[in-house]
């Protein structure tokens, strides 16, 4: 959807934004502004390069300026846990905030999305933190790879922010067996310990699987740069062992990991769906309306791949 469908900016226009550092690569403004136009809202979505040491003051600034909401990306998702006024269950559950909704208190004491207070701003405003990343991972796996996760054997490569949430969410979806591998082994160990504590029915092991897995996920940053090596140890694991392969990286569209997996006969998908579904859910949290998924997907593809 092009800008011609967007409502003109005027004094009633409300704002959302993404805060990150760096931020110039972000495809979120293209995707969200298309979604906003698709819903016919007089909103705009902006991007700001916010340094971690400025996160607290910029969150307060957005609240004071009565923004609708925010997305937070690297490196803010953990920092924000301590900085928002309230945490939704999703943020508590996954231990990270990627979406903030500003809310106003009405005369009955109920907190409502701030954009509903169109004419008179409420006396009290708060920020509430949500997490839409975890659900987006499994939605993308379900829809893009047609995987039913319950009972499956899954290898997760990487135990940074995205790898941790993916492993925890997969455990919550009752996968049968999880194999965790990370360059810094202690981080995979902490994720495994957290899963053992929270999901007694899931078998979780550190290291590569023997035999076949239903799914292998790359949640490392290896593949972002053209000269990166593959994100696993070829002496310990072969892509022929994986029925399906998911790379959280979406730029480039086909990483060497996905290319090799395709050549081995695995079903493959990249992380564009994950980006799309976390953004769509954020727009739903802000607007209270179903997000126009196909409009947002088209805008994302146009922005990221030029198609
Ligand atoms: P992060 O917290 O910085 O974690 C980076 C991960 O990559 C860690 O597991 C790290 O291992 C590993 N890694 C980095 N350089 C490595 C190297 N040279 N050799 C081996 N492992 C290496 O980042 P993140 O937020 O989890 O993001 C991870 C990946 O997911 C990135 O590629 C990012 O683009 C992608 N992602 C995609 C989406 C989406 O919407 N599709 C969303 C979030 C993230 P150590 O722990 O040893 O450092």
């Amino acid at each position: 959807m092009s800008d011609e469908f967007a409502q003109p900016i005027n004094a009633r226009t409300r704002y959302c934004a993404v805060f990150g550092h760096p931020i110039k690569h972000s495809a979120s403004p293209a995707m969200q502004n298309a979604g906003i136009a698709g819903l016919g809202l007089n909103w705009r979505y902006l991007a700001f390069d916010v340094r971690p040491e400025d996160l607290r003051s910029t969150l307060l600034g957005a609240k004071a300026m009565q923004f609708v909401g925010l997305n937070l990306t690297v490196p803010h998702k953990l920092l924000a846990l301590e900085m928002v006024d309230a945490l939704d269950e999703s943020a508590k559950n996954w231990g990270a905030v990627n979406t903030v909704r500003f809310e106003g208190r009405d005369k009955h004491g109920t907190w409502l999305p701030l954009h509903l207070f169109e004419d008179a701003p409420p006396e009290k405003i708060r920020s509430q933190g949500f997490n839409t990343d975890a659900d987006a991972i499994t939605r993308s796996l379900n829809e893009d790879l047609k995987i039913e996760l319950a009972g499956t054997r899954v290898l997760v490569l990487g135990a940074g922010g995205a790898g941790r949430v993916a492993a925890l969410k997969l455990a919550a979806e009752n996968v049968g067996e999880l194999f965790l591998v990370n360059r810094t082994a202690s981080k995979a160990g902490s994720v495994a310990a957290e899963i053992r504590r929270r999901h007694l029915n899931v078998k979780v092991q550190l290291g590569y699987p023997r035999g076949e897995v239903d799914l292998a996920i790359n949640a490392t940053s290896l593949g972002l740069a053209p000269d990166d090596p593959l994100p696993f140890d070829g002496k310990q694991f072969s892509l022929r062992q994986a029925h399906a392969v998911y790379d959280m990286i979406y730029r480039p569209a086909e990483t060497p990991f996905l290319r090799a997996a395709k050549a081995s006969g695995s079903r493959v998908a990249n992380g564009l769906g994950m980006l799309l579904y976390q953004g769509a859910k954020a727009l739903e949290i802000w607007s209270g309306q179903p997000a126009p998924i196909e409009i947002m997907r088209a805008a994302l593809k146009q922005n990221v791949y030029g198609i």
Side-chain angles (χ1 to χ4, degrees), residues 73-74 77 133 157-164 181-185 187 218-224 228-229 231 246-250 270-276 278:
T73 186
V74 176
K77 293 183 191 186
D133 283 331
L157 302 162
R164 176 185 162 275
V181 173
N182 193 50
R183 175 179 62 178
T184 309
K187 278 162 72 178
N218 178 31
T220 77
S221 32
L222 288 178
L224 287 172
D228 281 347
Y246 190 84
D247 199 330
M248 287 195 182
I249 294 172
Y250 55 86
N270 74 17
L272 198 78
M274 184 177 158
L275 180 65
L276 170 66
Q278 65 75 32

Side-chain angles (χ1 to χ4, degrees), residues 27 31 133 136-141 144-145 162 217-220 224 245-255 257-258 268-279 297 300-301 304-305:
M31 167 174 68
D133 283 331
I137 295 168
T138 43
R139 183 167 176 193
S140 182
L141 293 173
D144 301 332
L145 285 175
I217 300 178
N218 178 31
T220 77
L224 287 172
V245 167
Y246 190 84
D247 199 330
M248 287 195 182
I249 294 172
Y250 55 86
R251 195 179 352 224
E254 190 175 74
T255 57
F257 181 59
L258 287 188
V268 299
N270 74 17
L272 198 78
M274 184 177 158
L275 180 65
L276 170 66
Y277 297 129
Q278 65 75 32
R297 190 196 306 275
L300 202 49
K301 283 188 170 168
V304 178
Y305 305 129

